[in-house]
Amino acid sequence: MFQILTLVSAKGRLTASIVADATAALNKNACQVDDINWLSPDEALDIPFKGAPANVVEGAIRNALLTSPVDIYIGPAEDRRKHLLMADMDATVISSETLDDLAAHIGLKDEIADITSKAMNGEIDFNSALELRVKILSGLPEETLSQTFKAIHLTPGAKELIRSMRAYGAHCVLISGGFSYFTSRIAKICGFNEHHANQLEIRNARLTGQIIKPILDREAKCAHLKRLVFELGLKPEDTAAIGDGANDVDMLKAAGLGVAYKGKPIAVKAARARIDFGDLRTLLFYQGYKLEEFVS
């Protein structure tokens, strides 16, 4: 049975030399290689092959392209396009961590960011770290949420990923251990079907330093994925999930295609695929979408 090797690089940087090195690595592993299918000229392609285990081939390809800024994924040739996408928000769909950005308004961004980093690396408990960081924000004016939102930047490719998958029938969910104030707005901008996140308690137009329970954590993210698989009548292999940190690990493991987006080591280890160099459009290429099928 054929498998698909997908290579994705920056536009114009997927050179003939890179393709030749990848093909040579396949040949050295005694693979039967089929015709190359370009998904985007000089940017993304598929190479069907069979004859060697995926993990062996992936290791060989990564060694062959060690100095090239190329994202690599090997997956089955059948049923590549997923019908459910679960996407993390902070440092995935948007470029920053909103909790760290909120802390900047009281001059504590570095202190909060250090806790965030440890939580995302799985070095400390997520729930405890979240409650501690939110407690530090006690008394912050509600208007700071609006100021923080205005400074948010979408990760390149976010709109194309969501709008393209929805155009071809996928159900797309933004799910975050962050806050619903931000997910509600980002979901609308990108076109997600639904969003889920934690809710900050606000009284008298100020943050109280508390989160309205229950906390949406790694177990809750995975539970939402499993719930939607059941409700939508899907199989686990029909799903994709993308995230960057420890809070995404269970979701990445449960999805048919779990992707670590410029992820922490703990997320990379849990995921079936990774995106180290490209933007979020890369996940479309991993599913076999061609550039002309993208919806912007």
Side-chain angles (χ1 to χ4, degrees), residues 44-116:
L45 60 75
D46 284 341
I47 305 178
F49 74 93
K50 63 180 178 181
N55 62 326
V56 172
V57 173
E58 181 174 344
I61 297 293
R62 290 195 181 279
N63 285 333
L65 304 181
L66 197 58
T67 60
S68 301
V70 179
D71 285 310
I72 299 162
Y73 170 59
I74 295 176
E78 303 297 324
D79 301 320
R80 296 177 68 190
R81 297 192 179 185
K82 305 306 178 185
H83 304 300
L84 171 64
L85 172 66
M86 307 290 290
D88 176 45
M89 181 179 69
D90 292 346
T92 302
V93 170
I94 64 173
S95 60
S96 61
E97 295 277 354
T98 48
L99 190 44
D100 299 352
D101 295 340
L102 282 169
H105 291 274
I106 53 175
L108 293 175
K109 182 170 185 176
D110 290 344
E111 179 181 334
I112 295 293
D114 181 62
I115 301 173
T116 300

Side-chain angles (χ1 to χ4, degrees), residues 116-155:
T116 300
S117 177
K118 289 177 180 177
M120 290 301 99
N121 278 298
E123 297 171 21
I124 57 177
D125 176 68
F126 173 82
N127 290 20
S128 298
L130 180 63
E131 290 183 300
L132 173 61
R133 287 174 290 162
V134 171
K135 187 175 182 179
I136 294 172
L137 300 179
S138 178
L140 200 65
E142 183 179 7
E143 65 186 28
T144 308
L145 295 171
S146 175
Q147 295 168 4
T148 299
F149 173 73
K150 290 176 182 177
I152 285 175
H153 295 285
L154 289 177
T155 298

